Amino acid sequence: MSVLFNDLRVYAIAFCCFSFFAFMAPAHAQRPAGKAKSAFTVRLINIASTAKEPFRYNGSLYNGSGHTQIYELVAAAPEGWTALFRTEGSQIAGLRMDSGRTQDISIEIAAAPAVKPGKYTIPVAAVTAGDTLHVDLEAVVTGSYGVELTTPSGRLSDDITEGRNKQIQLTVRNTGTLPLEGLELSAQAPTMWSATFEPAKIDRLEPGKEQNVTARLQVPDKTIAGDYVTNFTVKNNNVNSNATFRMTVKTSPLAGWIGIAVILLSLGIVYYLIRKYGRR
């Protein structure tokens, strides 16, 4: 009997221990977690683009401080760069946030006009009186687009006789670091004038290279003498450039002689009439 009693006591103690741990384990797993800390995060921190296209980042700001905070948004962009913060469609420099609130923030960074290709780091921060939340953004500048329209000599004026046409040599120059494709030429000329180009389209122009284009202006007959302006344009989806060309129209020598003849004829007729009817 003593052996049986001892066995029952061991089982009883084991059962009590099992019940105690089985009760405590769920209680430990269900303990509430601590509060989340404030955070400023950006989903994609590395973006590549050309120099003329802005770098756009999507950020998220969370206030886990336990009380309302006023955050100032700042960016340490390189010299010549600009940074804008927007939320809910409005540009902002800071915002007031209640505790536990999350706010989406878009960040738009524009590179300096003369920036060189490469990777640039832009520290961005949300600053309060007692805390600074920061994230480093990376902007990879792949290159820049640039085009210039001028003439081989740089001269942008000439003269022409009314009723005739004039060939103008233009130069299209790639001033960027990326190739230019599908460049098209056009002109805004005075009324009744016409302009054609050879070639009218440049399929591809490498960085630092240039191509000459012949523009032909046709001036209609009886155009009044004076100065006229034609705007030449070269463009594609990424760039454009204009050249304002001044053309001085002169009267045709034949028209001048015809005018003189008309005047002399008119004087002759008047003289004849005076001689014939003046004595009566």
Side-chain angles (χ1 to χ4, degrees), residues 224-244:
I224 299 174
D227 290 340
Y228 296 81
V229 171
T230 299
N231 291 314
F232 296 112
T233 300
V234 60
K235 66 179 182 179
N236 66 2
N237 293 331
N238 300 305
V239 292
N240 68 80
S241 179
N242 300 309
T244 300

Side-chain angles (χ1 to χ4, degrees), residues 48-53 55 111-118 120 140-148 173-181 205-208 236 238-240:
S49 181
T50 63
K52 290 191 175 182
E53 293 294 327
F55 298 84
V115 66
K116 296 181 179 180
Y120 297 82
V140 180
V141 180
T142 58
S144 61
Y145 292 108
V147 68
E148 181 185 17
R173 185 176 297 116
N174 185 344
T175 58
T177 60
L178 295 173
L180 297 175
E181 297 183 352
L205 190 61
E206 297 294 335
N236 66 2
N238 300 305
V239 292
N240 68 80

Side-chain angles (χ1 to χ4, degrees), residues 114-193:
V115 66
K116 296 181 179 180
K119 183 170 73 173
Y120 297 82
T121 300
I122 302 97
V124 176
V127 183
T128 66
D131 195 10
T132 298
L133 309 173
H134 71 274
V135 59
D136 288 338
L137 304 179
E138 293 181 350
V140 180
V141 180
T142 58
S144 61
Y145 292 108
V147 68
E148 181 185 17
L149 180 62
T150 183
T151 62
S153 64
R155 182 184 176 188
L156 294 172
S157 63
D158 206 340
D159 56 69
I160 189 173
T161 301
E162 52 94 11
R164 298 185 180 179
N165 62 71
K166 172 77 72 172
Q167 288 188 359
I168 303 171
Q169 296 299 318
L170 300 174
T171 299
V172 180
R173 185 176 297 116
N174 185 344
T175 58
T177 60
L178 295 173
L180 297 175
E181 297 183 352
L183 291 169
E184 296 182 351
L185 290 111
S186 60
Q188 185 177 1
T191 304
M192 303 301 292
W193 290 38

